[in-house]
Structures are given as structure tokens and as C-alpha cells.
Amino acid sequence: MIRRGFQAVIRLGHHRVLPGAPHVLPRLNRTSAFGSSTDSLVSRFCLEKTDLKDYALPNASWCPDMLNLYQEFLEKTKTDGWIKLPSFKSNRDHIQGLKLPFGLAATSDKSDWRIFTRCLQVEGQGYEYVIFFHPSKKKSICLFQPGPYLEGAPGFAHGGSLATMMDETFSKTAYLAGEGLFTLSLNIRFKNLIPVGSLAVLNVDVEKIEDQKLYMSCIAQSRDQQRVYAKSSGVFLQLQLEEELSQ
Amino acid sequence: MIRRGFQAVIRLGHHRVLPGAPHVLPRLNRTSAFGSSTDSLVSRFCLEKTDLKDYALPNASWCPDMLNLYQEFLEKTKTDGWIKLPSFKSNRDHIQGLKLPFGLAATSDKSDWRIFTRCLQVEGQGYEYVIFFHPSKKKSICLFQPGPYLEGAPGFAHGGSLATMMDETFSKTAYLAGEGLFTLSLNIRFKNLIPVGSLAVLNVDVEKIEDQKLYMSCIAQSRDQQRVYAKSSGVFLQLQLEEELSQ
């Protein structure tokens, strides 16, 4: 259970004092929260050896545009500092060995959880996406192909499915670029509908990190940049995930 | 395919002239677009007899809060002017006999489409929700229970799943209150996380209809109103769905 809203969390972060409950404070370490920690966050996030299935890999449902651009960015991971992020079925897998601050750990022990963007398991039916992250530039590219179960207007992706993809790309970028954990705000201006089965390219930039918040922007457009689907901004709260105590 | 962005559509709507292509104009009928048409829109939307499955009905996964509040609002449909909206597996079912303006009809004939908010078919796994609409007050209530496949932070609903639920409730409200069809903007401030399996109540109001746009607000909170999950605003473009020509 959460005892207070996000804004109260920020205030607590500033004062670093919570009367009567000092152990649930956001223990923000400003040294590790900026720049220098990105490499260690990335190496923790991108496990070299794991049995977990990575859903951000090409499959038969990917359209040619998506496959081609994926290959282009995969080349850039070898020469240009880009990193392909793995995508597991739950954020629980991404934060193994860490715990959320404030006792936010789930109280239920149900075993079948899924991150919303991997909720559909049939290839091509729902979300197909892969995120590439550039640590030193603090930017991300998300290749997103919405399937027929993400429909809004007939034949087009639901506005909420794009909002979710933006929030999720912001989320992973915010965490790796500066331990941003929670969405505080999300503002989207929609320009054109995305046809189901086609590629939308999301360009995300961290604009600034200030006052325990990460400010990000996103533009979603067609591969040739001739059609803008939407523009958005997002603000994330910066909080450190704590190491689990070994038993 | 869409030939132009939403803002261009608005400008066309004002001038009612599109050089060289008069047949794809947004034929906005201001008499039918406001107030008096809401009853006919509602009666068209809420089919009395249909073989289509209504997903907005109680099932074994609903928590007691959700069931109780559903029953309360069901009583209000008899005495207080509220209407329970049906929820089919695709918007294609909701707009049978109508077509989108601008030739936005889907070009693919794939038969298995789903509206994003009904993408998961196992009860309780994804979206459980029901929307009640009040025509004369131009407001809606959405009862929303996120399942374990809508997760973001462990144990809590993904911010994108709430954004989507807000967009969808705005969407149905905008259409019934004033033929609002497309989301132009969506601004959300998140306050607290929603625990998976619990009830969030979304209160949506149409604030004004002006200049071919509907302006709406939403507050999502716990049933006892003691915890605000998020507040949002949305702007929708007002366009008339056209009658299909009979063959």
C-alpha cells in the first residue's frame, strides 16, 4: 500500500526527514543518481546471461520497415554507443534483486503477472516493440508496431496504446538515464492515427534532470518522418531502487 | 490512409471547402451535433437486441467494491437518468451501419480485431470495466478494475493502462455527448498507483463544446474518494459519422 502521493514523496525527498518513519525515506544518492551511474544501471538491466525470454526480438509478424530499422540500430550497437534493451514479461524480472522504496512491493504472491506492454502473447496480435537506448546522449528510440488487438478506430491503433508505449519508453529511459521510477505527468498531442500493422518510430529525449524529476519529450512518426503521429512530454520522479538485504 | 492531420481537419471543418476533393469534407451538422441528438446517439449505441457479447457485465473476477457500485448505478438507470453502456469486442460493432469520415475505413479485411480495452479475454486478467453515461448532465462514471496483465510497477497498474481507460471513457462520452470522434490531446497528472485487482472510479465531465472540440476532465480515485489516483483532461475533435449508403 502507498501511504502518500507522489508529490508528497518529492517533498520528503527534499527534506530527507519523515517524522516517525525514517526507514521509508527515499534515500536519494545524488552522486549515483546522475550520469556516472548510468553505465552500472545499464549493465544491471541488460543481463548477459539469463534464461528469461526476451520479447524484443524479431518475429514473423514484424513488417519490413520494422525489421530493416531494427537491423540498422543493431549495427549501431556495435559502433555508435546504442544499446538494445531486453524486454521481459514482467518488470519483476527487470528489477530482480532490487526492491521498490516505500514498501511498494506487491503484497500478493500470484505468479502470473505481465507488464501491460507484453500482455498479449500471440506474435503480432498486440504490442511488437523494441527499445534502443543511448547512455551518453540520454535518448531512446522505440520501434512500435501495433497489432489488431490494439485497435481504437477501425483499422487504427487506440490512442491509449500509443500513450502506453510512450509511457513505457519514457519509463525505461528515465530509469536508465537517472533512476526515474514513477510517471508524474504525461501530456500528449495526437496528430494522425497509426494504421494497425505499420511501424511508428518513437524518439525520446531526456530534456533535463532537475529537482528530483526527469523531464522528457517524445515524437512518434513514420519511418520517413513525413507523418507525425503524436508528440508528448513526460515527467518522472527520481527515486533509487534499493538493494534487497540478503537473507 | 489519412491524408492530413487532425488540426487540418478542424480547419477544413470551419471552411467547409477542400479544394479539389469536396466529397471528403467533414460534413458537420451543427443542429445534430449538439444536445438534441444525444438521445438518438444513445439509442443507436445501446442496441436493445443484439447477439453481440456485452463485456461490461459482472463476472466472478469483480471485487466486492466493483460489484456493489455497479449495482448502485444499475439502480440509478431506473430512476436517475443514468445509462449503462454496452461494450463490444470492437468499435466496428459499435458503429455498424456508420462509416468514419475521410475514408478512414480500414483497408484490411482481417476478421479478428479487438478494441484495445477488450484485448484480453480471460476474466479478471486484463481490463474489467463498465461505463455509465448521463445524457443530460453530459458526464460519465467508469468503474475500472485492472488485472495482473496490466502491471507496471510490481503489484500496481501500468500508468498507460489508466491513460488508456481515461482515453476510452473520454472517447465514448465525447461521441455520445457531441459526436466527438478523435482524441486531440490527453494530459494526465498521476498522484498514486492503483493496486492490481482493486477498484478505481473515473468521473468524467464534458466541460464545454466549442469550436468543433469537446473539452473533458477526469478524476480517478478510490471508491471512498480518500485516494486520488490521477487527474486528466482531454480534447476531442467533433465529427459526424456518416450513414453507409445502402447497396
Side-chain angles (χ1 to χ4, degrees), chain A residues 21-42:
Chain A
H23 298 297
V24 293
L25 267 180
R27 290 188 291 160
L28 183 72
N29 177 336
R30 290 195 176 270
T31 308
S32 74
F34 297 99
S36 61
S37 72
T38 296
D39 287 347
S40 62
L41 288 168
V42 167

Side-chain angles (χ1 to χ4, degrees), chain B residues 31 33 36 68 79 87 93 125 152 191 230:
Chain B
T31 309
S36 62
N68 293 343
T79 58
S87 175
D93 299 322
Q125 197 177 60
K191 306 288 185 182

Side-chain angles (χ1 to χ4, degrees), chain A residues 162 166 188-192 218-220 228-232:
Chain A
L162 177 57
M166 286 173 158
I188 308 174
R189 284 164 292 147
F190 295 92
K191 306 289 185 182
N192 282 289
C218 174
I219 179 168
V228 174
Y229 295 124
K231 294 180 179 181
S232 68

Side-chain angles (χ1 to χ4, degrees), chain A residues 2 4 6 91-92 112-114 116 148-149 151-152 155 158 160 164 168 184 186 188 190-192 227, chain B residues 2 4 6 91-92 112-114 116 148-149 151-152 155 158 160 164 168 184 186 188 190-192 227:
Chain A
I2 310 169
R4 61 199 71 80
F6 297 155
N91 269 330
R92 292 158 195 263
D112 196 16
W113 304 86
R114 280 193 167 261
F116 184 34
Y149 277 35
E151 201 183 44
H158 197 289
T164 299
E168 180 57 22
L184 290 176
L186 187 62
I188 308 174
F190 295 92
K191 306 289 185 182
N192 282 289
R227 178 152 302 174
Chain B
I2 309 168
R4 61 198 72 79
F6 296 156
N91 269 331
R92 292 158 195 265
D112 194 18
W113 302 85
R114 282 194 166 258
F116 183 35
Y149 277 36
E151 201 181 46
H158 196 289
T164 299
E168 180 57 21
L184 290 176
L186 187 62
I188 308 176
F190 296 92
K191 306 288 185 182
N192 282 289
R227 177 153 302 175

Side-chain angles (χ1 to χ4, degrees), chain A residues 63-127:
Chain A
C63 65
D65 267 353
M66 177 114 165
L67 271 175
N68 293 343
L69 206 49
Y70 173 81
Q71 291 298 342
E72 269 185 33
F73 272 92
L74 212 56
E75 285 301 310
K76 290 183 182 177
T77 63
K78 299 172 192 164
T79 57
D80 196 27
W82 285 90
I83 290 161
K84 179 203 158 290
L85 301 185
S87 175
F88 305 136
K89 79 168 209 173
S90 166
N91 269 330
R92 292 158 195 263
D93 299 322
H94 284 293
I95 61 169
Q96 272 182 30
L98 298 170
K99 64 176 182 177
L100 288 167
F102 299 101
L104 288 187
T107 50
S108 165
D109 60 354
K110 276 185 190 172
S111 60
D112 196 16
W113 304 86
R114 280 193 167 261
I115 186 168
F116 184 34
T117 47
R118 298 296 180 194
C119 68
L120 290 162
Q121 293 157 61
V122 176
E123 289 178 359
Q125 197 177 60
Y127 278 96

Side-chain angles (χ1 to χ4, degrees), chain A residues 153-203:
Chain A
F156 297 93
H158 197 289
S161 74
L162 177 57
T164 299
M165 196 70 263
M166 286 173 158
D167 185 42
E168 180 57 22
T169 309
F170 279 151
S171 166
K172 293 293 184 278
T173 307
Y175 178 62
L176 295 174
E179 293 176 273
L181 275 194
F182 296 114
T183 318
L184 290 176
S185 68
L186 187 62
N187 296 331
I188 308 174
R189 284 164 292 147
F190 295 92
K191 306 289 185 182
N192 282 289
L193 298 173
I194 304 174
V196 162
S198 69
L199 171 68
V201 182
L202 280 62
N203 279 268

